[in-house]
Amino acid sequence: MDLAFIPSPSVGVVHLGPIPLRGYAFCIIIGVFVGVWLGNKRWIQRGGRSGTVADIAVWAVPFGLVGGRLYHVITTYEPYFGKNGHPLDAFKVWEGGLGIWGAVALGAVGAWIGCRRRGIPMPAYADALAPGLALGQAIGRWGNWFNQELYGKPTDVPWALKISSDPAIGRIGGTYHPTFLYECLWCIGVAALVIWADKRFRLGHGRAFALYVAAYCAGRAWIEYMRVDEAHHILGLRLNVWTALIVFVLAVVYFVVSAKRAPGREEVVEPGALEERAAAEAAAAEGAGKDADAATDAGGADGAEAPAEAAAAKSPAEGPAGEADAADADSKPAGSGSTKKS
């Protein structure tokens, strides 16, 4: 008897009137916003303009969604184009099925177009976005929890995931390894690793992105090996395990070659951004200096008026008093002081 487990949602969609709110899509959207937010902060720190990351994401995100869906449909074509398949279901992205490999690959094409239009080096943009991508994936993986999909082997560990049975799709109820949670935690660790390494070693020219890719692939390989959903196998390993291994090697090779060919970090990541920032800071400093001068002038004027007012207020009071003292002195005869002895 299982004493503890992670429950699965009873439904993956909530209807707000005629509008369906799907947990899977909600997680993807939140992940995109978090990734863009963190990427924007890092881009500004690298010397870029605020808003540039979001502008390029307008190109990268749609390309990434299309690429992720294409990868899934191509590598898992049976439900759509196999025997008794339903081709139109290939467009039902909200039901799950986005391959991260296709999302990153085609998303990079969209980002490249956006960078070209803005005159920005693509590797620098990728470096700024890398930790945000990892955090976005961590959040997006919770969409699998809402859909009760992509879980691991059966287990009775306290953190096992409770899956309900569904004969219509051949899903057997029980408790399984929560691979979505494993990947979520792994991606958070990858984001932290990239941020630390980037600060410690000042990674540039795409090396922060390469580190993200290599670290993610290292975790995805063993997490993918635990999954029990249908997948194509090559030499006894799941297709995505092979993909993770190959991409890991490519990322490491790029990291090493890039470090030799272009050491250090880009000094300029967005033309004109540093000049605009310096001009804005100079204008702010000049405005602050004028305010300080105005305050000093106002304080000096007040200080000059105060003694004059004090003198004016003091002189009428002292005049009569002085005259009265003089009159008393004149009216008093000389030697009028008493000399009588008792």
Side-chain angles (χ1 to χ4, degrees), residues 262-333:
R265 177 186 286 180
E266 301 92 339
E267 295 297 330
V268 178
V269 297
E270 187 167 5
L274 293 177
E275 290 78 3
E276 289 181 5
R277 186 177 302 176
E281 292 175 353
E286 182 179 356
K290 289 181 178 180
D291 292 342
D293 292 341
T296 301
D297 294 341
D302 293 342
E305 292 175 358
E309 293 174 354
K314 183 177 180 181
S315 98
E318 289 180 351
E323 293 173 0
D325 292 343
D328 291 343
D330 293 337
S331 62
K332 193 173 184 180

Side-chain angles (χ1 to χ4, degrees), residues 32 36 51-64 107 110-111 114 117 125:
V32 169
V36 171
T52 297
V53 169
D55 292 343
I56 298 176
V58 171
W59 289 90
V61 172
F63 273 73
R117 290 169 60 89
Y125 179 81

Side-chain angles (χ1 to χ4, degrees), residues 21-45:
L21 301 178
R22 302 182 183 277
Y24 184 88
F26 194 58
C27 291
I28 296 296
I29 292 172
I30 294 177
V32 169
F33 274 101
V34 170
V36 171
W37 168 78
L38 181 57
N40 183 67
K41 289 179 65 67
R42 285 173 51 80
W43 184 250
I44 295 173
Q45 292 172 355

Side-chain angles (χ1 to χ4, degrees), residues 29-340:
I29 292 172
I30 294 177
V32 169
F33 274 101
V34 170
V36 171
W37 168 78
L38 181 57
N40 183 67
K41 289 179 65 67
R42 285 173 51 80
W43 184 250
I44 295 173
Q45 292 172 355
R46 292 285 297 272
R49 295 186 181 94
S50 176
T52 297
V53 169
D55 292 343
I56 298 176
V58 171
W59 289 90
V61 172
F63 273 73
L65 291 175
V66 172
R69 189 60 176 176
L70 283 175
Y71 181 89
H72 168 75
V73 172
I74 291 173
T75 58
T76 314
Y77 63 87
E78 292 84 357
Y80 313 106
F81 303 104
K83 185 178 180 180
N84 300 324
H86 302 280
L88 292 180
D89 288 351
F91 297 96
K92 297 180 179 179
V93 181
W94 55 88
E95 293 184 354
L98 289 175
I100 186 61
W101 315 111
V104 172
L106 206 55
V109 174
W112 177 79
I113 295 174
C115 288
R116 289 273 295 181
R117 290 169 60 89
R118 298 292 293 266
I120 290 171
M122 174 70 177
Y125 179 81
D127 283 342
L129 200 62
L133 284 175
L135 283 183
Q137 288 176 244
I139 296 171
R141 271 302 172 194
W142 284 87
N144 301 135
W145 178 64
F146 280 99
N147 285 356
Q148 296 195 49
E149 61 183 1
L150 307 185
Y151 41 86
K153 296 178 174 67
T155 183
D156 58 356
V157 295
W159 58 88
L161 176 65
K162 181 71 173 180
I163 297 294
S164 60
S165 61
D166 189 348
I169 58 175
R171 190 171 67 202
I172 301 174
T175 55
Y176 300 85
H177 276 288
T179 51
F180 83 92
L181 180 59
Y182 298 161
E183 187 164 338
C184 170
L185 297 176
W186 185 270
C187 286
I188 293 174
V190 170
L193 171 65
V194 174
I195 292 173
W196 170 82
D198 195 25
K199 288 182 178 180
R200 175 66 176 81
F201 302 104
R202 291 183 56 82
L203 302 177
H205 301 282
R207 288 189 289 278
F209 184 81
L211 177 61
Y212 145 71
V213 172
Y216 171 74
C217 289
R220 178 61 185 269
W222 66 265
I223 294 172
E224 182 73 22
Y225 184 77
M226 296 179 64
R227 283 168 39 173
V228 294
D229 53 294
E230 292 293 330
H232 294 285
H233 287 71
I234 299 176
L235 299 178
L237 293 178
R238 294 166 64 94
L239 174 61
N240 282 335
V241 175
W242 283 108
T243 303
L245 294 175
I246 293 172
V247 175
F248 172 83
V249 172
L250 293 176
V252 172
V253 170
Y254 176 88
F255 190 98
V256 174
V257 173
S258 174
K260 291 182 178 180
R261 297 184 60 180
R265 177 186 286 180
E266 301 92 339
E267 295 297 330
V268 178
V269 297
E270 187 167 5
L274 293 177
E275 290 78 3
E276 289 181 5
R277 186 177 302 176
E281 292 175 353
E286 182 179 356
K290 289 181 178 180
D291 292 342
D293 292 341
T296 301
D297 294 341
D302 293 342
E305 292 175 358
E309 293 174 354
K314 183 177 180 181
S315 98
E318 289 180 351
E323 293 173 0
D325 292 343
D328 291 343
D330 293 337
S331 62
K332 193 173 184 180
S336 61
S338 177
T339 59
K340 183 176 181 179

